[in-house]
Amino acid sequence: MTTTTTSPVLTATGVTMRFGGLTAVRSVNLEVHPGEIVGLIGPNGAGKTTFFNCLTGLYVPTEGSVAYRGTVLPPKPHLVTQAGIARTFQNIRLFANMTVLENVLVGRHTRTKEGLWSALLRGPGFKRAEAASKTRAMELLEFIGLADKADHLSRNLPYGEQRKLEIARALASDPGLLLLDEPTAGMNPQETRATEELVFAIRDLGTAVLVIEHDMRFIFNLCDRVAVLVQGEKLIEGTSDVVQSDERVVAAYLGTPFEGAPGAEEAAEVEAAEAGATTGATPDEAQRGTTARTEDGQ
Amino acid sequence: MTTDKTQPTAVSEAQGGATAPRTTLLRVLTAAGGAAAVASTFLAWTWTAEFPGDLTVYGYPGGLQLLTLVLGIATGVFALAALDLKGLRWLTPSGSTQALRMLALGTFAVTWFTVISIAVDLDGLVNLEPGGWIAAVVTAVPVATTFLLPDDSRQLRRPKELPSWAEILIIAAVFALGLYVVNYGIQTDADHPEPFIGYLIAVGFAAVALVKAGLVSRISELTSAYRSTTLVAALITAIVFPFFQDKSSFTELGVNIAIFATVALGLNIVVGLAGLLDLGYVAFLGVGAYTAALVSGSTASTLDVRFPFWAAVITGGVVSLIFGVVIGAPTLRLRGDYLAIVTLGFGEIFRLAMLNLDGTSGPSVTNGPDGIPNIPPLEIFGFNFNDDHSFAGLSLDSNGNYYLLMLLVTILVVLIFSRAGNSRIGRAWVAIREDETAATAMGINGFRVKLIAFALGATLAGVAGAVWAHFQSTVVPEQYVFAGPVPPNSTFLVAAVILGGMGTIGGPLLGATLLYLIPKKLEFLQDYQLLAFGIALILLMRFRPEGIVPNRRQQLEYHETGQLDVPGATGLKDGAVGVTKAEA
Ligand SMILES: Nc1ncnc2c1ncn2[C@@H]1O[C@H](COP(=O)(O)OP(=O)(O)O)[C@@H](O)[C@H]1O
Ligand SMILES: [Mg+2]
């Protein structure tokens, strides 16, 4: 489990995102600790991607703040990446007409600083930095298993490899926290298994991971902790077991209508409807468990 | 990964099996047709020397006949190569039929163009001598036979290993040939359009033929294997160019081409690498030119200073840079097409400002429509650019001097383009062009990186403008328009980049050369130049959107089936790329 003594890599406090009348994310708090793999699940349109965009500065949150290792981040994507949070996209966004290696080299951008002058003058420093970037990029390609395709255009890679390449590109900025937005979407079971191994390997390298996913098996195998987002609000957060057995989570995924905010009454209704059938932890207990864990984390 | 080596079109005979007798016969006929075309050029095609080039002489070919002659020889030789004649097989590393078709078509087109022009120019078919009729008939033969030949395109055949001196000699020969071909075009008679049109037809078909035969790939393999040799060869070729010109006006063409090609290459950093559409680029050239003119010591200049040339160039570059930053800084924070609109506006504002800073409508700076004439000739280390000079028995006139100076600027810009493009900042530009959201999420400060590209482009244009002002010895506002019949104008520059090939070095150089040379040589086109421009660009976008010199990236982008660099990849059309821009 997690090391609860260290300070969190990510602290999102009261993050709210409104698009006109639509509140896509409503005061969500979330922490990710070093060495943790945290899952973020929720039905389609729950606001998961929007939450990621708020974390990475692509959207400026209407309210709330995001801090990395205790420092509040400005809502500028390049500064967020510079600070140490890297991400992948739900819809693959590789640089389609660059080679696989070049894609990863672009990921090194924040960790190198050779500017125009140094490129024009090509001094020894430039050559050294360029060689070092290439070495690091090849290491990463080796790590995800795409080294033999370094010179292919990324658009020509099969879908699964494109997703892997996005991960390598994100890792190239040596992040302390990696955000993965549905990394196994469109993958077959073997590829999903491989991605699971990959995420563990990334965690073992010392990068915390926050992952959005629909594949429940994937999430519950992988994550130390899972947060559930429903209609922009965090419904519950806790260990896989706790979340898995939570009635409201089941209900959210089965599509029981949640009117407005998923308040206590609705939860209670759902509970009542299925009270007799289930054993497991009651929502109350689950809630308490979660709270306990969050406090642990602090 | 399954590597599928067999080409569907490659018939087994191409791999060395027995050739069908019919194919052999057709190839022999093609060779004979080529020989007949050659023979026909030794006849008179018309009776009067009124038609340009003097095609009246029996015994040796002249004028447009020379083109038929060369293409006829090429058709014959390639047909012999197709017949597997020992010593010629290297000509067709990736198959002979398609190349032969192009050569036969080229011979036919040039010949018929000549014959028809004779009939039209001189009013009537009676002006054709029997030689003309014979040429018209015999050049049709190879066209028929080559289109009956089976297609034998194949993967590039591995060439025989050659000693390296031989390969270097080949590179030298290619550059010499290139210089000859360019010279031939530049030296065609500008008073008559026929020779130049014939030249364009011949060069066009021959170039496609060389691509189809695989010779172009073979040569680019060689040039990339011997990079420094190639660079030296290119440099020598460019340097000797003015020494081969027998008329000063030809060297002047060379200077102008060098200037516009350089400016187009600078624009290619902005448009091709960073993906920023700059529709007012010519204004930066103007800023450089006007600045240099003002500090040149010209009698008409309102500033009473005389900077040495190097300082004038630097001043021109720096002032352009400042304008670049001033225009770019507010605009580049926004996305998309704002930049195109703002730069378009800037281009017009610049011209109007130069017109109005005449002392009556505004402060007296630029003399309004009269511009700044009498820019004194350049003098560097006592070397006066307006005098003739001779080195080792070769003489160089004023245009030649400026040509060599301009060549220096061109080399500088080529160097900047290739070094910047192939570095951290260059990758950031391309990343921004490909997907700005993803690029910023990878830690690239989009605004900063775009501003660097924009300002660098502006600076290079300013430097070129400073040289141009001295070469022209005058600057006037009307040279810096958005679209117009004479270059430089912003449309011309953007068109040169797109026509040549975005993101490449060769593309804008070639594009600017063609766009400058063609209207110069075909005076009748000048009134319709913009129309011709438009038609040419529409055709280009339809048939070759990546430009004449494709960037490896773009070629794959526009021709999905190509899969050039992925030998065994299976198709991936599952929308992996199509959805990229959907969501942040
Ligand atoms: N840029 C935007 N403008 C307006 N509405 C948006 C925008 N981005 C997301 N939304 C809305 O926010 C809600 C959450 O979307 P999203 O975060 O993509 O969901 P998820 O990733 O959980 O499937 C959706 O209703 C979506 O339509
Ligand atoms: Mg999503």
Side-chain angles (χ1 to χ4, degrees):
Chain A
M1 283 297 268
T2 55
T3 41
T4 49
T5 45
T6 43
S7 67
V9 263
L10 177 81
T11 320
T13 329
V15 171
T16 300
M17 186 74 220
R18 282 193 207 94
F19 299 108
L22 174 82
T23 308
V25 176
R26 192 189 305 266
S27 36
V28 172
N29 298 318
L30 188 72
E31 280 187 358
V32 179
H33 298 270
E36 242 186 340
I37 301 176
V38 177
L40 186 60
I41 62 172
N44 268 326
K48 306 180 296 293
T49 300
T50 307
F51 181 60
F52 262 29
N53 287 343
C54 292
L55 294 183
T56 52
L58 285 175
Y59 292 159
V60 182
T62 322
E63 284 159 32
S65 69
V66 180
Y68 177 77
R69 293 195 200 280
T71 321
V72 173
L73 296 171
K76 288 261 165 58
H78 66 275
L79 296 178
V80 171
T81 310
Q82 171 114 45
I85 301 181
R87 69 171 290 175
T88 66
F89 293 90
Q90 178 175 354
N91 297 321
I92 298 171
R93 299 188 79 146
L94 287 169
F95 307 118
N97 295 303
M98 297 177 94
T99 65
V100 167
L101 179 65
E102 284 171 326
N103 267 278
V104 183
L105 285 173
V106 170
R108 294 280 319 147
H109 191 89
T110 49
R111 299 296 170 248
T112 45
K113 49 184 171 306
E114 279 60 46
L116 182 63
W117 283 116
S118 126
L120 294 183
L121 300 175
R122 304 249 141 162
F126 174 84
K127 291 196 180 119
R128 228 176 300 123
E130 198 78 340
S133 291
K134 288 224 168 86
T135 313
R136 176 80 183 112
M138 284 311 294
E139 272 170 29
L140 284 167
L141 288 178
E142 208 75 64
F143 175 66
I144 57 155
L146 278 178
D148 55 328
K149 294 198 171 178
D151 290 330
H152 292 212
L153 288 190
S154 67
R155 61 182 297 124
N156 288 339
L157 293 184
Y159 197 71
E161 292 183 354
Q162 294 200 10
R163 285 222 178 270
K164 280 204 240 169
L165 177 56
E166 260 213 328
I167 295 176
R169 184 180 68 173
L171 286 176
S173 63
D174 301 334
L177 172 67
L178 179 65
L179 309 182
L180 301 173
D181 197 344
E182 304 200 15
T184 70
M187 283 189 176
N188 63 33
Q190 292 100 303
E191 288 173 321
T192 306
R193 277 289 308 152
T195 308
E196 217 172 286
E197 294 306 317
L198 186 62
V199 175
F200 278 130
I202 292 168
R203 196 262 312 267
D204 294 343
L205 289 176
T207 304
V209 180
L210 176 59
V211 52
I212 294 176
E213 194 43 77
H214 278 304
D215 185 333
M216 288 302 152
R217 181 119 58 89
F218 178 86
I219 281 285
F220 292 132
N221 276 344
L222 202 62
C223 298
D224 303 319
R225 200 147 50 84
V226 177
V228 184
L229 216 57
V230 176
Q231 300 208 342
E233 275 186 86
K234 191 165 85 178
L235 186 64
I236 174 178
E237 179 187 338
T239 59
S240 299
D241 299 338
V242 173
V243 171
Q244 226 166 339
S245 47
D246 188 280
E247 301 296 339
R248 292 168 303 167
V249 176
V250 177
Y253 270 91
L254 289 176
T256 308
F258 272 83
E259 300 298 329
E265 312 99 296
E266 282 104 342
E269 273 171 38
V270 176
E271 218 178 291
E274 297 177 25
T278 22
T279 45
T282 68
D284 274 355
E285 274 166 7
Q287 195 74 52
R288 230 174 291 134
T290 315
T291 323
R293 263 222 41 71
T294 322
E295 278 162 4
D296 270 1
Q298 277 153 355
Chain B
M1 292 236 104
T2 53
T3 309
D4 189 10
K5 280 256 156 58
T6 51
Q7 283 264 333
T9 46
V11 197
S12 61
E13 63 180 63
Q15 260 80 46
T19 310
R22 176 169 174 276
T23 308
T24 309
L25 178 68
L26 285 170
R27 285 174 177 162
V28 170
L29 282 176
T30 310
V38 170
S40 77
T41 63
F42 287 84
L43 305 173
W45 287 8
T46 181
W47 59 274
T48 161
E50 262 175 55
F51 188 77
D54 194 3
L55 312 184
T56 62
V57 196
Y58 282 86
Y60 68 84
L64 282 165
Q65 286 175 330
L66 277 174
L67 298 171
T68 304
L69 175 77
V70 170
L71 285 173
I73 292 176
T75 312
V77 171
F78 273 80
L80 292 179
L83 285 165
D84 265 351
L85 201 70
K86 274 253 172 311
L88 288 179
R89 293 181 54 178
W90 58 273
L91 277 172
T92 55
S94 65
S96 61
T97 299
Q98 297 214 13
L100 272 176
R101 282 179 194 162
M102 282 300 130
L103 287 171
L105 272 179
T107 320
F108 177 78
V110 164
T111 309
W112 278 63
F113 167 75
T114 311
V115 167
I116 291 172
S117 318
I118 291 173
V120 172
D121 285 6
L122 304 179
D123 277 332
L125 291 171
V126 293
N127 295 300
L128 287 174
E129 290 278 307
W133 291 106
I134 291 173
V137 174
V138 297
T139 52
V141 174
V143 175
T145 53
T146 50
F147 275 86
L148 291 172
L149 275 173
D151 192 353
D152 65 347
S153 357
R154 57 190 166 226
Q155 304 238 284
L156 212 58
R157 191 158 59 194
R158 287 255 52 84
K160 247 195 340 231
E161 285 296 325
L162 288 175
S164 54
W165 59 264
E167 301 199 318
I168 289 173
L169 268 186
I170 292 176
I171 294 176
V174 167
F175 274 96
L177 183 70
L179 177 64
Y180 180 81
V181 171
V182 171
N183 254 352
Y184 190 95
I186 284 186
Q187 300 192 347
T188 51
D189 187 355
D191 299 335
H192 303 282
E194 291 87 356
F196 191 74
I197 296 180
Y199 166 82
L200 281 184
I201 296 175
V203 170
F205 278 106
V208 179
L210 292 182
V211 171
K212 296 280 185 204
L215 280 178
V216 171
S217 325
R218 175 84 179 97
I219 286 171
S220 58
E221 270 172 28
L222 281 182
T223 52
S224 51
Y226 295 92
R227 278 196 55 134
S228 41
T229 312
T230 307
L231 290 179
V232 171
L235 197 62
I236 292 177
T237 313
I239 288 175
V240 300
F241 168 83
F243 297 103
F244 278 83
Q245 307 308 321
D246 43 17
K247 270 204 226 159
S248 184
S249 61
F250 296 149
T251 321
E252 190 186 343
L253 276 182
V255 186
N256 281 317
I257 289 175
I259 287 176
F260 300 135
T262 306
V263 179
L265 188 57
L267 177 61
N268 201 20
I269 294 179
V270 183
V271 175
L273 290 183
L276 306 169
L277 185 53
D278 185 343
L279 291 179
Y281 195 64
V282 79
F284 295 112
L285 184 78
V287 170
Y290 261 94
T291 310
L294 284 172
V295 300
S296 69
S298 154
T299 47
S301 164
T302 48
L303 294 185
D304 193 19
V305 290
R306 176 157 194 184
F307 282 20
F309 175 66
W310 59 267
V313 167
I314 292 177
T315 317
V318 169
V319 175
S320 253
L321 166 72
I322 293 169
F323 272 89
V325 173
V326 167
I327 300 296
T331 328
L332 290 170
R333 290 185 191 278
L334 307 170
R335 277 178 182 238
D337 303 327
Y338 294 101
L339 184 74
I341 295 163
V342 170
T343 50
L344 182 65
F346 171 63
E348 285 305 288
I349 291 168
F350 171 77
R351 186 174 58 85
L352 293 174
M354 293 305 107
L355 271 175
N356 288 325
L357 294 176
D358 58 358
T360 49
S361 320
S364 169
V365 183
T366 63
N367 302 331
D370 298 337
I372 303 174
N374 303 328
I375 298 173
L378 274 184
E379 210 174 297
I380 303 177
F381 304 127
F383 182 98
N384 188 310
F385 272 66
N386 270 25
D387 297 344
D388 289 4
H389 296 271
S390 60
F391 311 92
L394 295 166
S395 76
L396 207 56
D397 63 3
S398 154
N399 284 327
N401 297 331
Y402 279 104
Y403 174 83
L404 292 183
L405 175 68
M406 199 51 226
L407 193 61
L408 221 60
V409 181
T410 311
I411 292 168
L412 181 80
V413 176
V414 168
L415 213 65
I416 290 177
F417 186 97
S418 74
R419 290 195 159 182
N422 186 16
S423 72
R424 170 175 176 268
I425 187 93
R427 286 190 295 268
W429 289 335
V430 177
I432 292 269
R433 185 194 74 196
E434 291 283 308
D435 185 334
E436 189 164 349
T437 303
T440 54
M442 290 309 120
I444 294 171
N445 183 343
F447 169 67
R448 190 185 145 83
V449 165
K450 285 192 288 184
L451 189 61
I452 291 176
F454 192 73
L456 177 64
T459 312
L460 295 179
V463 167
V467 179
W468 197 47
H470 281 91
F471 169 62
Q472 292 231 310
S473 79
T474 173
V475 290
V476 288
E478 291 309 323
Q479 285 165 329
Y480 308 101
V481 291
F482 170 66
V486 280
N489 51 69
S490 296
T491 319
F492 171 90
L493 294 171
V494 174
V497 169
I498 294 173
L499 172 77
M502 285 198 280
T504 63
I505 291 177
L509 300 184
L510 182 66
T513 307
L514 287 177
L515 288 183
Y516 184 73
L517 204 54
I518 291 175
K520 267 280 179 248
K521 290 291 177 185
L522 307 178
E523 305 234 298
F524 71 92
L525 253 186
Q526 293 215 321
D527 296 340
Y528 307 99
Q529 201 195 346
L530 287 175
L531 180 69
F533 247 39
I535 294 175
L537 283 181
I538 291 171
L539 290 178
L540 189 80
M541 285 303 120
R542 170 64 188 82
F543 294 107
R544 201 172 167 83
E546 70 273 28
I548 300 174
V549 182
N551 181 333
R552 184 175 50 102
R553 297 180 177 128
Q554 250 120 33
Q555 182 153 40
L556 286 154
E557 186 173 345
Y558 290 115
H559 300 283
E560 293 272 357
T561 49
Q563 300 286 330
L564 291 181
D565 67 338
V566 186
T570 43
L572 66 140
K573 301 248 164 22
D574 39 12
V577 196
V579 291
T580 44
K581 301 255 162 158
E583 191 182 352

